[in-house]
Amino acid sequence: MSKNNEEFVKEITPQSEDYSQWYLDVIKKTKLVDYAPVKGCMVIRPYGYAIWEKMKEGLDRRIKETGHENAYFPLFIPESLLQKEADHVEGFAPEVAWITKGGDEELSESLAVRPTSEAMFGEMYSDWIQSWRDLPVLINQWANVVRWEKSTKPFLRTSEFLWQEGHTAHRTEEDAEEEALQMLDVYKDFVENDMAIPVLNGLKSEKEKFAGALRTFCIEALMSDGRALQAGTSHNLGQHFAKVFDITFLDQDDERKYVWQTSWGVSTRLIGALIMVHGDNRGLKIPPKVAPHQLVMVPITPKKQREQVLEESDKLYQELKDKFRVKLDNREEHTPGWKFNEWEMKGVPIRLEIGPKDIEKDQVVLVRRDTDEKMFVKRDELIDKLEELIEDIQNKMLQTAKNFLEENTHTASSLDELGQILEQKRGMIKAYWCGNQACEEKVKDDTKATIRVIPFEAETGGSCIACGYHNDDNKEVFFARAY
Amino acid sequence: MSKNNEEFVKEITPQSEDYSQWYLDVIKKTKLVDYAPVKGCMVIRPYGYAIWEKMKEGLDRRIKETGHENAYFPLFIPESLLQKEADHVEGFAPEVAWITKGGDEELSESLAVRPTSEAMFGEMYSDWIQSWRDLPVLINQWANVVRWEKSTKPFLRTSEFLWQEGHTAHRTEEDAEEEALQMLDVYKDFVENDMAIPVLNGLKSEKEKFAGALRTFCIEALMSDGRALQAGTSHNLGQHFAKVFDITFLDQDDERKYVWQTSWGVSTRLIGALIMVHGDNRGLKIPPKVAPHQLVMVPITPKKQREQVLEESDKLYQELKDKFRVKLDNREEHTPGWKFNEWEMKGVPIRLEIGPKDIEKDQVVLVRRDTDEKMFVKRDELIDKLEELIEDIQNKMLQTAKNFLEENTHTASSLDELGQILEQKRGMIKAYWCGNQACEEKVKDDTKATIRVIPFEAETGGSCIACGYHNDDNKEVFFARAY
Ligand SMILES: [Zn+2]
Ligand SMILES: [Zn+2]
């Protein structure tokens, strides 16, 4: 480790010393976000937003490929509309920001800044849907939402965040269930293959489900500190909203029926997962598919050969720039060593060095951020090599995260054991549960762990971790402490 | 015109009968937008949002090509922050929506829902900018903004709308001026070449400039009813915001200086312009570059040959779908004639018909929305022909709009004449102005026309339209009644 590197690393608190401070150091120093002068709100800076743009691309493509269209619904929801679904309003009321004044005028009815848009979609769908021919309605929106949070942390929990929310309406219960499960698969595919984050998928418990849903499906990821993070949710809303918003259709059998609905969303929270799953003491590590720059070029420019190297590196940049997302860093005010460290910290998957000796030998130097491996590559093999490397880094990052998840998945057969594992190593902990909400709450009170997910193909039959009762229907679920 | 067509057209009020109602009929019946159950807010439905997505693509590419990066700044701006720049707050205060409550808690300071983000960018830039090496800062954001409007009309004036807002900081006055003018050029290029809407560009008068700007540049378009519409603005902010937000940098000469800033934006309002520039009594006419579907395929399916035609049209669809944005309409419940009318109303540039006879002759039928021209095209020439047509339609739509603008540009040499032209034919009216705000206001009071733009290369020397005084510096400016 060079001296420069030492200086850099000092700026980031080591994970082992204070994980939370490490996280805050990383996001601030890599210029992903900054704190805004508004309680709990963040500014997503260009480097952070560029990651979000790549994520949007990958996810938007999948959302459209599965037949959905984008639209835009209003930011404000009248109080009376939000109050129509009782569970829903109870769940969200404590965290709603309210508009009470427009210009100089006091509003006769307060407007909620949308915490989520089921109510607004419900109201419009009741107008738009008349016949079975109108179904399914498959709409998504990319939007900002606001939830007035007491304690916040950039990306993970902020008063305003960006997300996509899909809202669909179907003819039958089966169609809605199929849609909710399909979108969970879309999320899993996107998060695993584009973000290199392995996830567990399955059902949420009644206690943890979305306010107003019949069933909530989710994907859950494990951060490198052993805490879980809910990475995406897909809800089968049943007919709850259809009934209160009166969304009906005339079916082929000439009967008027309520539609079946789903909603599903992922948010900028996923960037928090990206940081915590892949990052290390040197900073970010971004998978190539969502990296703003897949490689960064750092010319090595001794004074005498400066012109020659800059000319050559610019030539190379021109060759590469249409094939890869490449950044040429030819700033004069920083040394190559300083740049190496900065781009490592910013998590660029590949560094390309080119200096006088490399030009002589018709080669470049490549260094991987994920393994630190250093390679000398001939110029005429460079493009192939880069393509291969990008794929390999993407795969290896997922594999590394998968190994971590596996190594940090434990089994507990008693509440004591569960508590011990949580104290010593955290991670995902498999344990049997009788399905009783009192047992779920007892685990939480004793250990701060919640049921993260009930797997689709859960093992059955063991004794409940909390009450000890044995039942053939008891399911093996995943407990963890969560963000 | 077929019987079906007659029935369809009846649903849209003719332009000549009630232009405003025509506009409202078109946007509602083509499902571009719907009214939301919130005062002055709209739902942008999938067809409308798909146009916005194509527009975003074209504009975002140009914004990035000119060196800007995207970011995301908070929705809420504390009252104290907004009040820092006096002109700015005075300009926007009457139309701000205020958050006064979060959850159950009354806020100690009200938060404005951003009507524009100069204040928030200013606050962050004062932190981020320290040295001349940090400049220029070139950031854009795509966001929703809220302006509490008394009277609203979808796309043209709504309480919430979508836009992009660029905010830049520069080292010198010249750099800022160059940036503001560059972005005006970007807007002109985008609006003319992608949206096929010709624009006049130039300067706004002091009266019409942005609240807090030094100078506002704009592009102005002419709608088919003869009223003007401001299509985009680019502001040289000078050092107004730099001084109140204390945005300074240490220059190369070791002196601390204030930055020079610009901001610039276009919004979903442009969709309103698209409708009113190109639309006719049959509905929308969308230029191919921003059309959600560049062509629609309508299979002609007599009962006996139904299977064969559907098979063949699906085969053709597979051939075309990666090269064009193509929609295959094989709905069973509607006749081809009904579909022709619907897609005409929705403004799809090209209709492709394929029936048993066409299959026999190895051809398809193409019909242009802009000229109604009908063509028989051999299958092996189809792709080339479509490419050619798409380009031709795009060019012809711009040319048609340019001709309209030219034909509806008039010259007035007295206030009476100006008034007469406005009463009889509206349009853009060139007239000399002495530069005096009293004269500008007199014209507005007498005729409801405002100065839309002061051209960069204005003619000089005539007598002022309002006061009659002759001066060699008097400029020929464009007056119009505007949206
Ligand atoms: Zn139990
Ligand atoms: Zn005058």
Side-chain angles (χ1 to χ4, degrees):
Chain A
M1 209 183 264
S2 72
K3 188 168 168 296
N4 264 318
N5 203 335
E6 289 285 2
E7 276 166 25
F8 243 88
V9 170
K10 256 190 278 171
E11 298 182 18
I12 297 178
T13 305
Q15 290 187 335
S16 58
E17 190 178 300
D18 183 344
Y19 194 84
S20 178
Q21 192 57 48
W22 165 82
Y23 179 84
L24 296 175
D25 287 351
V26 168
I27 56 170
K28 177 93 182 174
K29 283 177 208 301
T30 57
K31 299 187 180 173
L32 290 184
V33 293
D34 203 351
Y35 297 97
V38 196
K39 184 184 157 295
C41 288
M42 62 180 166
V43 176
I44 307 180
R45 301 185 71 169
Y47 196 60
Y49 197 80
I51 297 174
W52 181 239
E53 283 188 316
K54 296 319 292 175
M55 288 167 59
K56 272 176 84 170
E57 262 179 54
L59 191 52
D60 193 66
R61 177 173 48 76
R62 288 171 171 90
I63 288 172
K64 284 177 176 154
E65 278 170 2
T66 44
H68 304 85
E69 296 178 298
N70 287 334
Y72 187 77
F73 283 64
L75 174 67
F76 300 143
I77 301 175
E79 188 170 10
S80 57
L81 213 62
L82 198 64
Q83 281 173 338
K84 280 193 174 181
E85 217 285 337
D87 291 339
H88 191 61
V89 71
E90 196 188 304
F92 283 102
E95 40 188 57
V96 166
W98 294 101
I99 305 278
T100 59
K101 237 178 99 179
D104 292 333
E105 193 189 334
E106 296 290 331
L107 304 187
S108 55
E109 180 180 12
S110 295
L111 301 174
V113 182
R114 67 179 158 221
T116 180
S117 301
E118 277 73 11
M120 186 57 76
F121 275 79
E123 184 73 7
M124 300 313 295
Y125 282 3
S126 79
D127 244 28
W128 296 349
I129 296 168
Q130 301 300 335
S131 145
W132 63 274
R133 289 197 192 272
D134 299 328
L135 298 171
V137 175
L138 306 172
I139 297 184
N140 176 62
Q141 81 170 347
W142 292 93
N144 53 345
V145 280
V146 169
R147 297 180 187 175
W148 209 253
E149 299 280 0
K150 296 248 181 284
S151 97
T152 58
K153 198 167 192 176
F155 293 126
L156 298 177
R157 196 173 296 279
T158 47
S159 294
E160 182 193 12
F161 57 91
L162 304 181
W163 78 345
Q164 60 66 221
E165 49 179 324
H167 296 268
T168 70
H170 305 265
R171 194 171 166 189
T172 67
E173 184 169 11
E174 297 73 47
D175 288 354
E177 182 78 358
E178 199 179 293
E179 165 78 8
L181 290 170
Q182 170 187 252
M183 296 323 290
L184 192 73
D185 281 346
V186 162
Y187 287 159
K188 184 172 160 72
D189 177 59
F190 164 71
V191 172
E192 294 195 335
N193 292 310
D194 285 18
M195 303 189 68
I197 298 175
V199 293
L200 302 173
N201 59 354
L203 195 65
K204 280 282 179 205
S205 68
E206 282 295 303
K207 181 175 184 304
E208 301 282 329
K209 79 174 185 190
F210 179 74
L214 190 63
R215 269 186 290 284
T216 290
F217 303 106
C218 69
I219 53 173
E220 289 280 326
L222 187 63
M223 306 299 99
S224 65
D225 68 342
R227 284 169 76 182
L229 183 140
Q230 177 174 298
T233 50
S234 180
H235 316 292
N236 182 335
L237 301 175
Q239 294 180 313
H240 295 172
F241 289 89
K243 284 179 180 162
V244 294
F245 288 98
D246 196 27
I247 316 172
T248 62
F249 66 100
L250 200 64
D251 207 350
Q252 267 185 297
D253 59 12
D254 250 5
E255 274 191 53
R256 190 151 285 279
K257 298 173 184 170
Y258 289 110
V259 300
W260 298 83
Q261 288 182 276
T262 83
S263 69
W264 28 273
V266 302
S267 74
T268 36
R269 192 161 209 241
L270 275 178
I271 301 176
L274 182 92
I275 298 163
M276 290 195 287
V277 166
H278 300 302
D280 62 19
N281 284 339
R282 285 183 288 156
L284 295 173
K285 222 186 267 181
I286 311 179
K289 282 195 188 168
V290 296
H293 317 300
Q294 297 175 306
L295 68 149
V296 59
M297 293 176 61
V298 180
I300 314 294
T301 52
K303 248 192 191 147
K304 271 167 61 183
Q305 292 108 325
R306 185 171 163 77
E307 286 309 304
Q308 186 209 1
V309 173
L310 286 183
E311 198 175 297
E312 198 62 33
S313 58
D314 189 63
K315 221 176 84 189
L316 185 57
Y317 172 75
Q318 297 302 330
E319 283 169 37
L320 299 177
K321 79 176 169 45
D322 294 331
K323 298 189 180 65
F324 307 99
R325 294 193 295 279
V326 49
K327 168 89 183 171
L328 170 58
D329 184 356
N330 50 18
R331 286 177 291 179
E332 279 182 45
E333 67 267 32
H334 294 301
T335 62
W338 195 96
K339 292 178 185 174
F340 293 176
N341 294 328
E342 183 179 49
W343 293 113
E344 262 180 13
M345 182 173 80
K346 288 195 145 189
V348 177
I350 302 168
R351 178 172 81 232
L352 185 157
E353 305 167 16
I354 179 166
K357 275 192 195 145
D358 302 310
I359 294 171
E360 225 167 77
K361 293 187 192 163
D362 203 36
Q363 71 179 20
V364 300
V365 180
L366 298 182
V367 183
R368 285 172 71 142
R369 172 66 175 91
D370 64 328
T371 61
D372 291 329
E373 191 191 343
K374 187 167 181 166
M375 291 151 273
F376 298 87
V377 179
K378 288 286 166 207
R379 284 281 287 271
D380 60 1
E381 291 163 8
L382 179 59
I383 286 174
D384 286 348
K385 183 67 191 177
L386 284 172
E387 276 168 2
E388 184 196 309
L389 258 184
I390 283 172
E391 205 186 314
D392 193 59
I393 293 172
Q394 185 77 34
N395 293 339
K396 187 151 289 171
M397 287 182 73
L398 175 60
Q399 194 53 54
T400 303
K402 272 188 178 166
N403 294 344
F404 179 84
L405 173 59
E406 209 169 292
E407 287 158 17
N408 288 279
T409 300
H410 312 287
T411 305
S413 51
S414 72
L415 206 47
D416 270 1
E417 195 185 357
L418 187 87
Q420 273 169 23
I421 296 172
L422 283 169
E423 285 312 316
Q424 287 160 14
K425 34 195 178 184
R426 295 202 183 153
M428 290 281 187
I429 303 162
K430 292 194 278 188
Y432 282 94
W433 173 53
C434 67
N436 200 318
Q437 192 155 317
C439 289
E440 186 180 9
E441 275 161 13
K442 179 167 171 47
V443 174
K444 189 173 180 186
D445 290 345
D446 283 15
T447 69
K448 294 184 208 137
T450 49
I451 296 176
R452 301 318 304 160
V453 56
I454 304 165
F456 290 122
E457 314 264 302
E459 300 286 326
T460 53
S463 302
C464 176
I465 187 101
C467 65
Y469 282 110
H470 184 281
N471 189 318
D472 286 348
D473 293 338
N474 285 356
K475 284 185 174 160
E476 194 179 47
V477 303
F478 285 90
F479 286 92
R481 289 188 188 153
Y483 277 93
Chain B
M1 208 183 263
S2 71
K3 187 168 169 292
N4 264 318
N5 202 336
E6 289 286 2
E7 276 166 23
F8 242 88
V9 170
K10 257 190 278 170
E11 299 182 17
I12 297 178
T13 305
Q15 291 187 335
S16 58
E17 189 177 301
D18 184 343
Y19 192 85
S20 179
Q21 193 56 50
W22 165 83
Y23 179 84
L24 297 175
D25 287 350
V26 167
I27 57 171
K28 178 94 183 176
K29 284 177 207 303
T30 57
K31 299 188 180 173
L32 290 184
V33 293
D34 203 350
Y35 298 98
V38 197
K39 186 186 156 293
C41 288
M42 60 178 168
V43 176
I44 307 180
R45 300 185 71 169
Y47 196 62
Y49 198 80
I51 297 175
W52 182 239
E53 283 188 315
K54 298 318 292 175
M55 288 167 58
K56 272 176 84 170
E57 263 178 55
L59 192 52
D60 194 67
R61 178 173 48 76
R62 287 170 172 90
I63 289 172
K64 284 177 176 153
E65 279 170 1
T66 44
H68 305 84
E69 296 177 298
N70 287 335
Y72 186 76
F73 283 65
L75 174 66
F76 300 143
I77 302 176
E79 188 169 12
S80 56
L81 213 60
L82 198 64
Q83 281 173 337
K84 281 194 175 182
E85 218 284 336
D87 290 340
H88 191 61
V89 70
E90 197 188 305
F92 284 102
E95 40 187 56
V96 167
W98 294 101
I99 305 278
T100 60
K101 238 178 99 180
D104 292 333
E105 195 189 334
E106 296 288 330
L107 303 187
S108 55
E109 180 180 11
S110 294
L111 301 174
V113 182
R114 66 180 158 222
T116 179
S117 301
E118 277 73 12
M120 186 56 79
F121 276 79
E123 185 72 7
M124 300 313 294
Y125 282 3
S126 79
D127 244 29
W128 296 350
I129 296 169
Q130 301 301 334
S131 145
W132 62 274
R133 289 194 192 275
D134 299 329
L135 297 172
V137 175
L138 306 172
I139 298 183
N140 174 64
Q141 80 171 350
W142 292 93
N144 52 344
V145 281
V146 169
R147 298 181 187 174
W148 209 253
E149 299 280 359
K150 297 249 181 281
S151 98
T152 58
K153 197 167 193 176
F155 295 125
L156 298 177
R157 196 173 296 280
T158 46
S159 294
E160 182 192 12
F161 57 91
L162 303 181
W163 78 345
Q164 60 65 221
E165 49 178 325
H167 295 269
T168 70
H170 305 265
R171 194 172 166 188
T172 66
E173 185 170 8
E174 297 72 48
D175 287 355
E177 182 79 357
E178 199 178 294
E179 165 78 7
L181 289 170
Q182 169 186 254
M183 296 323 290
L184 192 73
D185 282 346
V186 162
Y187 288 160
K188 184 173 161 71
D189 178 58
F190 164 71
V191 172
E192 294 195 333
N193 291 311
D194 285 18
M195 302 189 68
I197 298 176
V199 293
L200 302 173
N201 59 354
L203 195 65
K204 280 282 179 204
S205 68
E206 282 296 301
K207 182 175 183 305
E208 300 282 329
K209 78 175 185 189
F210 178 73
L214 190 62
R215 270 186 289 284
T216 290
F217 303 106
C218 70
I219 53 173
E220 290 280 325
L222 186 64
M223 306 300 99
S224 65
D225 67 342
R227 284 169 76 181
L229 183 141
Q230 177 175 296
T233 49
S234 179
H235 317 293
N236 182 334
L237 301 175
Q239 293 180 313
H240 295 172
F241 290 90
K243 283 179 181 163
V244 295
F245 288 99
D246 198 27
I247 316 172
T248 62
F249 66 100
L250 200 64
D251 207 350
Q252 265 184 299
D253 60 12
D254 249 6
E255 274 190 52
R256 189 151 285 279
K257 297 173 184 170
Y258 290 110
V259 299
W260 298 83
Q261 288 181 276
T262 82
S263 70
W264 27 274
V266 302
S267 75
T268 36
R269 193 162 208 239
L270 276 178
I271 301 176
L274 182 92
I275 298 162
M276 290 194 287
V277 166
H278 300 302
D280 62 18
N281 284 339
R282 286 184 286 156
L284 295 172
K285 221 186 266 181
I286 312 180
K289 282 196 188 167
V290 296
H293 317 300
Q294 296 175 308
L295 67 149
V296 60
M297 294 176 59
V298 180
I300 315 293
T301 52
K303 248 190 191 151
K304 271 168 62 184
Q305 292 109 323
R306 186 173 162 76
E307 286 309 304
Q308 185 208 3
V309 173
L310 285 182
E311 200 175 294
E312 198 62 31
S313 58
D314 190 63
K315 222 175 85 188
L316 185 57
Y317 173 74
Q318 298 302 330
E319 283 169 37
L320 299 177
K321 78 176 170 51
D322 294 332
K323 297 188 183 66
F324 307 98
R325 293 194 296 278
V326 50
K327 168 88 183 170
L328 170 58
D329 183 356
N330 49 20
R331 285 176 292 178
E332 279 181 47
E333 66 268 31
H334 295 300
T335 63
W338 194 95
K339 291 177 186 175
F340 293 175
N341 295 326
E342 182 178 50
W343 293 111
E344 262 179 13
M345 183 175 78
K346 288 195 147 190
V348 178
I350 303 167
R351 178 173 82 232
L352 186 156
E353 305 167 14
I354 181 167
K357 275 195 197 146
D358 302 311
I359 294 170
E360 224 168 77
K361 293 187 191 163
D362 203 35
Q363 71 178 20
V364 300
V365 180
L366 298 181
V367 182
R368 286 173 72 144
R369 172 65 175 93
D370 63 330
T371 60
D372 291 330
E373 190 190 344
K374 189 167 180 167
M375 290 150 277
F376 297 87
V377 179
K378 289 285 166 207
R379 284 281 289 269
D380 59 0
E381 291 163 8
L382 180 59
I383 285 173
D384 287 347
K385 184 67 192 176
L386 284 171
E387 276 168 1
E388 185 197 310
L389 258 185
I390 283 172
E391 207 187 313
D392 193 58
I393 294 171
Q394 185 77 33
N395 293 337
K396 189 151 289 171
M397 287 183 72
L398 175 60
Q399 194 54 54
T400 303
K402 272 187 179 169
N403 294 344
F404 179 84
L405 173 59
E406 211 168 290
E407 286 157 18
N408 289 279
T409 300
H410 313 287
T411 305
S413 52
S414 71
L415 207 47
D416 270 1
E417 195 185 355
L418 187 86
Q420 273 169 23
I421 295 171
L422 283 169
E423 285 312 315
Q424 288 160 14
K425 35 194 177 184
R426 295 204 184 150
M428 290 281 188
I429 302 161
K430 291 195 279 189
Y432 282 94
W433 172 52
C434 67
N436 200 320
Q437 193 156 316
C439 289
E440 187 179 9
E441 275 160 12
K442 180 169 172 43
V443 174
K444 189 173 179 184
D445 290 345
D446 283 15
T447 69
K448 293 185 209 138
T450 50
I451 297 176
R452 302 317 304 161
V453 56
I454 304 165
F456 290 122
E457 314 263 304
E459 300 287 326
T460 53
S463 301
C464 175
I465 186 99
C467 64
Y469 282 110
H470 184 280
N471 190 317
D472 286 351
D473 293 338
N474 285 356
K475 285 184 176 160
E476 194 181 46
V477 302
F478 286 89
F479 286 92
R481 289 189 189 152
Y483 277 94

